[in-house]
Amino acid sequence: MFSYLRERFSSHLRQRSRRRARLVSKDGRCNIEFGNVEQSRFVFLIDIWTTILDLRWRYKMTIFISAFLGSWFLFGLLWYVVAYIHKDLPEFNPSINHTPCVENINGLTSAFLFSLETQVTIGYGFRCVTEQCATAIFLLIFQSILGVIINSFMCGAILAKISRSKNRAKTITFSKNAVISKRGGKLCLLIRVANLRKSLLIGSHIYGKLLKTTITPEGETIILDQVNIEFIVDAGNENLFFISPLTIYHIIDKNSPFFHMAAETLLQQDFELVVFLDGTVEATSATCQVRTSYIPEEVLWGYRFAPIVSKTKEGKYRVDFQNFSKTVAVETPHCAFCLYNEKEAKAKEKKGYDNPGFVLSEVNETSDTKM
């Protein structure tokens, strides 16, 4: 029992040691941090709208509540100061003929309640501004205008946060693994992508970036060097009809960075394949981008995806997402170079070539038969 647990623990440690750092997680989040940034954080306050939208919900709701409570309390203090200066408070024992700036403000609590009623336009009718002092009228106008600005900004930020196209991207899913197998007589890297909603993404475009460490001829080491990876679909990679799951593929030819890789050496490679899907949300006309990534352990050589779309007896098309990431082993060349040489050899056999070293010599035959 202990030997089994020790073996499992050592296997887990080996897997953790082999775990690779990835720039983009499976759900599209970027694993990167910025250090020693010389610019001040004040630049983020200049673009306050984007800063508010990028905040997490707990911070956004804290700012939302603090903005309203803070403004109510601040103006409550100002209304209390106005009443104190004008000697409207009961502690000053105003005369019967005394007309206050604001009716029925007896202290800080009532001043806070009047501030809340003014800013949210409740207007219970018990407290109201009189025409006695211009300061109170000016403060009423200023608080009303500022309250509209706060309401517009905070409510707009909440609505924009809810309707961000980033949330639409969560209903676009990629297969857990990428596979390499033959497709149309060519060795291809295939990935499956699906739209979980019936609403389409308009003008969808799929492309990829291969991230790896490259050493230039000058000896410079470039970390996260980006190489373009072209993905295509049978119908083309522009304006996809994204109503059902699609299988996108990259042809591994001489121009592909996967050309010199083989099934035996794939796990020894150090790369990260990042796949992007850009499109426009049909409902809101907002653009969105979906990202995912694959490391060598997530690329299966010699497999293809299991069928996922079928037709029912009622004539409907059914998509079985249980087989979405399921793969099936198929016969596949162990490298693209071998497949290329095999095709080249077959083409030579069909075409035929002369041997320049072959010399045809004529032989004169003599007959020794005597009559």
Side-chain angles (χ1 to χ4, degrees):
M1 179 66 181
F2 290 102
S3 60
Y4 173 76
L5 293 176
R6 185 168 55 253
E7 182 180 355
R8 289 295 301 271
F9 182 72
S10 60
S11 175
H12 177 69
L13 291 180
R14 287 194 300 268
Q15 289 181 359
R16 289 195 61 183
S17 63
R18 291 196 304 265
R19 189 174 299 171
R20 305 172 189 257
R22 59 200 312 161
L23 178 65
V24 179
S25 62
K26 298 297 288 185
D27 57 357
R29 290 178 295 179
C30 295
N31 179 28
I32 192 170
E33 63 179 21
F34 300 99
N36 300 324
V37 180
E38 297 181 357
Q39 288 183 328
S40 172
R41 294 188 179 271
F42 180 73
V43 297
F44 294 98
L45 296 179
I46 296 177
D47 187 13
I48 186 64
W49 179 253
T50 305
T51 302
I52 292 294
L53 290 184
D54 289 340
L55 288 177
R56 298 194 176 188
W57 274 109
R58 53 179 176 266
Y59 302 123
K60 185 184 291 293
M61 295 307 299
T62 301
I63 295 176
F64 182 86
I65 296 173
S66 301
F68 284 103
L69 289 179
S71 61
W72 295 340
F73 183 75
L74 175 62
F75 280 100
L77 289 177
L78 295 178
W79 286 117
Y80 179 80
V81 170
V82 170
Y84 184 87
I85 295 175
H86 199 253
K87 300 184 184 303
D88 298 334
L89 301 176
E91 58 196 59
F92 293 105
N93 298 319
S95 62
I96 300 176
N97 298 327
H98 178 76
T99 303
C101 290
V102 182
E103 296 281 355
N104 299 311
I105 286 188
N106 302 318
L108 186 59
T109 303
S110 57
F112 174 79
L113 292 175
F114 178 72
S115 172
L116 188 152
E117 296 169 12
T118 301
Q119 189 163 327
V120 299
T121 64
I122 294 178
Y124 290 119
F126 183 69
R127 301 178 184 89
C128 60
V129 176
T130 64
E131 68 278 4
Q132 183 64 27
C133 53
T135 305
I137 297 175
F138 173 78
L139 185 60
L140 176 67
I141 296 174
F142 182 72
Q143 184 178 5
S144 300
I145 296 175
L146 186 62
V148 171
I149 295 175
I150 294 176
N151 289 338
S152 302
F153 184 85
M154 298 309 302
C155 294
I158 295 295
L159 181 61
K161 181 75 172 179
I162 295 175
S163 61
R164 289 188 78 177
S165 56
K166 185 177 181 181
N167 298 325
R168 175 64 175 91
K170 295 181 188 239
T171 56
I172 305 295
T173 180
F174 288 88
S175 56
K176 181 180 178 181
N177 298 99
V179 297
I180 296 179
S181 60
K182 292 176 64 176
R183 187 183 181 94
K186 300 177 182 179
L187 192 64
C188 300
L189 183 143
L190 301 97
I191 297 173
R192 180 172 276 173
V193 58
N195 180 15
L196 301 181
R197 289 186 180 272
K198 291 186 178 180
S199 58
L200 300 179
L201 282 181
I202 304 172
S204 301
H205 175 60
I206 298 177
Y207 59 97
K209 299 284 184 181
L210 187 69
L211 308 179
K212 60 180 181 177
T213 301
T214 303
I215 300 178
T216 63
E218 295 77 17
E220 179 185 4
T221 301
I222 303 177
I223 300 178
L224 297 179
D225 186 24
Q226 300 184 15
V227 180
N228 290 326
I229 301 295
E230 182 181 358
F231 283 97
I232 59 177
V233 188
D234 292 333
N237 61 344
E238 297 285 349
N239 300 323
L240 303 178
F241 186 46
F242 204 7
I243 193 63
S244 63
L246 298 175
T247 300
I248 61 175
Y249 58 94
H250 164 71
I251 300 176
I252 303 178
D253 53 11
K254 291 184 177 180
N255 298 323
S256 172
F258 295 96
F259 184 75
H260 298 287
M261 299 182 188
E264 298 82 4
T265 62
L266 180 63
L267 296 180
Q268 302 174 6
Q269 303 294 326
D270 185 15
F271 67 84
E272 180 178 353
L273 176 62
V274 184
V275 184
F276 302 86
L277 172 62
D278 297 340
T280 303
V281 182
E282 186 179 26
T284 61
S285 298
T287 58
C288 71
Q289 183 182 86
V290 193
R291 298 180 296 267
T292 191
S293 68
Y294 298 92
I295 56 178
E297 288 80 3
E298 297 169 344
V299 179
L300 306 180
W301 196 296
Y303 289 83
R304 65 171 174 83
F305 290 111
I308 191 174
V309 180
S310 61
K311 193 173 182 179
T312 63
K313 296 181 180 179
E314 294 80 10
K316 295 183 178 180
Y317 292 93
R318 184 175 183 271
V319 179
D320 186 8
F321 280 95
Q322 185 177 1
N323 294 336
F324 181 73
S325 295
K326 186 177 180 181
T327 57
V328 179
V330 292
E331 183 179 354
T332 306
H334 69 92
C335 66
F337 189 73
C338 298
L339 178 63
Y340 178 79
N341 287 343
E342 180 183 350
K343 288 185 177 182
E344 194 176 48
K346 290 182 179 180
K348 287 182 178 180
E349 288 179 2
K350 292 182 180 180
K351 188 175 181 180
Y353 289 90
D354 292 332
N355 186 356
F358 177 77
V359 178
L360 178 62
S361 59
E362 296 182 359
V363 181
N364 297 324
E365 296 183 359
T366 57
S367 179
D368 296 335
T369 304
K370 294 183 180 179
M371 296 297 294

